[in-house]
DNA sequence: TTATCATATGAACATATACTCATATATAAC
DNA sequence: GTTATATATGAGTATATGTTCATATGATAA
């Protein structure tokens, strides 16, 4: 990790000035990480199509209710989904419209 | 995982029809996962500002050359960054413009 | 050739994580 | 009250992952 000759200090300094705070970068990475699991990305995609309760998500993805609940917690913590309780049933939906845009942009990358 | 009363079969069937293939969903999740690490998201963000060689990235983020190389491989595999070799020096840049949009959308979500 | 520089990579290790299982909580019906 | 339903959660476990260290590869210079 010694300073190498190939390093242009000015260029590095330029970029360093533009870097966001560690808190913001942490949140950014954590948001991507929350979406970076097959089960969770399927849940988020499904919720981008329709509001669903926990049992419906489990049935749709053919996984256990417990697994769904655990993953919904991760998504809730990152404010990617929100819940609304009606009696015994808890319905989940995307937290905001940006999540939809995020999905769409990523699909665009994957498709090309 | 028995069928629960709360499940509306028609609603579940509707969403199931809209679900993408496992291959596509896998690629989607893998792309998010590649961005879902603090080191890698910092690298991608830096590259969205300027083309940089491996040593410059290591200097900028204050981490070892080896760690950077390992993470660049992950990003290359997911086609998030591309490399161009000039003599001994390898310069990295974002692979396509969608990556920039992805970053921007995620920042929007994190900022609000 | 030999030496140096820039980068890549394999192995090892410590941490993180996604699931299962069992159980807790909360609501509704009886 | 009891029972059933829907969801949440803690513990345990097997797998995945990010780093370090050592070394390999490849290019340039002497």
């Amino acid at each position: 990790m010694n300073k190498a000759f190939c390093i242009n200090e000015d260029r590095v300094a330029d970029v360093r000035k533009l870097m966001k705070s560690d808190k913001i970068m942490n949140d950014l990475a954590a948001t991507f990480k929350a979406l970076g699991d097959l089960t969770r990305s399927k849940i988020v995609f499904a919720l981008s199509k329709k509001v669903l309760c926990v049992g419906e998500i489990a049935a749709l993805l053919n996984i256990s209710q417990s697994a769904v609940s655990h993953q919904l917690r991760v998504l809730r913590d990152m404010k990617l989904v929100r819940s609304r309780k009606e009696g015994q049933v808890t319905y989940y939906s995307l937290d905001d419209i940006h999540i939809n845009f995020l999905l769409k942009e990523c699909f665009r990358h994957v498709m090309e």
Side-chain angles (χ1 to χ4, degrees), chain A:
Chain A
M1 248 185 63
N2 282 336
K3 192 187 135 195
F5 297 133
C6 71
I7 296 178
N8 181 323
E9 297 283 3
D10 289 342
R11 289 156 47 77
V12 174
D14 283 352
V15 181
R16 183 170 282 123
K17 271 185 212 131
L18 296 168
M19 292 298 286
K20 308 277 187 183
S21 74
D22 256 38
K23 192 228 173 305
I24 289 179
M25 290 308 293
N26 248 307
D27 287 353
L28 189 87
T31 299
F32 281 130
K33 178 182 279 184
L35 293 165
D37 168 81
L38 186 57
T39 299
R40 288 194 297 268
S41 61
K42 280 180 177 176
I43 292 175
V44 169
F45 179 70
L47 294 180
S48 78
K49 299 301 181 187
K50 207 182 276 283
V51 172
L52 295 168
C53 71
V54 178
E56 287 171 337
I57 297 171
L60 174 67
L61 304 186
N62 205 37
I63 57 180
S64 74
Q65 172 269 317
S66 178
V68 172
S69 258
H70 278 295
Q71 301 299 17
L72 283 171
R73 188 156 136 73
V74 175
L75 294 171
R76 255 188 292 121
D77 287 349
M78 291 313 302
K79 303 219 189 304
L80 290 168
V81 306
R82 52 167 47 191
S83 60
R84 175 176 47 84
K85 196 160 188 179
E86 282 188 16
Q88 312 175 55
V89 184
T90 306
Y91 288 98
Y92 278 83
S93 54
L94 295 194
D95 190 270
D96 68 66
I97 191 71
H98 293 140
I99 318 300
N100 237 312
F101 296 154
L102 247 184
L103 274 185
K104 279 201 208 312
E105 280 304 332
C106 199
F107 272 125
R108 244 170 236 155
H109 171 72
V110 164
M111 300 297 200
E112 82 171 17

